[in-house]
Amino acid sequence: MSEKKPSKEREIKGAKAKAVFMLFLAAIIALTFVVYAVFEDDLMHSIGLIAIAFILLVMFGVFALRRYRDAQRGLVFEDERSRRVMERAASRTFYVSIYVLLLVGWLSENAIDFRDISQATSVVIGITALIFFAFWLYFNRKEI
Amino acid sequence: MRNRIKELRARYDLTQEDLARMVGVRRETIVFLEKGKYNPSLKLAHDVAVALRTTIDKLFTFDDERAFTKQR
């Protein structure tokens, strides 16, 4: 007969697995940037892409490490407050991203010559990610 | 909103991390709770009160409490 593990232990194991998965995902994203950098003709663009990959890897690395360490100490990584912060940041980002999309659309017609639609889409995704991060920082410090 | 979390935590010799572990939240949540910068759910308020061997109404007090009290 198999013995059922206590829920707390399962929770910690799950949190550790999530931290490792997060690091793995960050590594894949960073690797994608590096591959793009290798095939990029412009040296400055290549350096920029590698810098983005490095920053992403460090940020996700610190995040995953904290998550792993908290799990080892028996602390949860997500709770009602962190979920509330995420929800607020996500909802605000959604509204702002619509305007970002409109702005990038207007800029692509009038000011910036994007290489193709995928480049413009990447710019929108990048800006949206930064906006989300800014909102997350703001709500994480604010009274909620 | 004011609360007595810090006072009771000190009385029972608990660290913020101990209390966080007891009620299943992040340590930061306890920090914000103590500062009165986070309005917890009823469930969390209850869990914190139980962990600190008190009741919700003794743990949390609202500045505008008297405004809702019927004048006798």
Side-chain angles (χ1 to χ4, degrees):
Chain A
M1 206 168 77
S2 65
E3 198 176 286
K4 203 175 176 183
K5 280 184 179 175
S7 64
K8 190 78 185 169
E9 199 181 316
R10 271 212 311 269
E11 221 172 80
I12 292 168
K13 206 175 168 186
K16 281 182 184 175
K18 272 183 190 173
V20 172
F21 178 72
M22 197 180 281
L23 203 61
F24 178 69
L25 203 67
I28 288 175
I29 295 168
L31 195 68
T32 310
F33 274 97
V34 172
V35 169
Y36 265 106
V38 168
F39 291 104
E40 181 65 52
D41 297 330
D42 193 335
L43 182 68
M44 287 313 287
H45 279 182
S46 295
I47 292 168
L49 286 168
I50 288 172
I52 292 170
F54 181 73
I55 291 165
L56 273 175
L57 210 58
V58 168
M59 275 175 66
F60 272 88
V62 169
F63 203 62
L65 201 70
R66 277 188 64 186
R67 193 167 192 150
Y68 192 84
R69 207 182 51 202
D70 281 355
Q72 273 190 327
R73 281 154 63 195
L75 289 165
V76 293
F77 192 78
E78 250 184 17
D79 63 7
E80 60 173 54
R81 186 179 175 279
S82 66
R83 274 193 289 271
R84 207 181 285 180
V85 168
M86 286 286 257
E87 278 166 15
R88 287 202 185 179
S91 68
R92 298 295 194 285
T93 306
F94 172 72
Y95 291 121
V96 176
S97 70
I98 292 169
Y99 291 101
V100 171
L101 198 60
L102 286 171
L103 182 71
V104 170
W106 182 85
L107 286 173
S108 69
E109 299 243 326
N110 300 292
I112 303 171
D113 192 21
F114 288 111
R115 191 176 54 211
D116 51 24
I117 190 72
S118 71
Q119 194 186 25
T121 311
S122 303
V123 168
V124 172
I125 292 170
I127 294 172
T128 306
L130 285 175
I131 290 168
F132 175 77
F133 185 62
F135 271 128
W136 182 84
L137 278 179
Y138 172 71
F139 286 117
N140 204 30
R141 280 157 177 74
K142 195 178 174 279
E143 182 178 343
I144 54 168
Chain B
M1 185 178 74
R2 284 172 290 163
N3 64 72
R4 297 171 57 218
I5 296 174
K6 198 173 181 178
E7 176 201 328
L8 292 174
R9 191 170 55 73
R11 184 187 293 176
Y12 297 118
D13 199 23
L14 290 169
T15 63
Q16 289 174 331
E17 196 172 310
D18 292 335
L19 185 59
R21 205 176 284 120
M22 284 166 85
V23 297
V25 294
R26 294 176 56 75
R27 196 185 68 82
E28 286 83 352
T29 302
I30 301 296
V31 173
F32 278 88
L33 266 176
E34 285 187 355
K35 286 181 185 169
K37 283 190 164 186
Y38 176 59
N39 293 321
S41 67
L42 190 57
K43 168 83 170 65
L44 180 57
H46 169 264
D47 290 349
V48 173
V50 169
L52 297 172
R53 294 170 231 174
T54 185
T55 54
I56 294 176
D57 61 316
K58 284 177 185 156
L59 191 61
F60 297 96
T61 47
F62 292 85
D63 297 331
D64 56 355
E65 216 164 60
R66 284 168 62 193
F68 302 106
T69 311
K70 197 175 173 183
Q71 295 293 318
R72 288 168 196 255

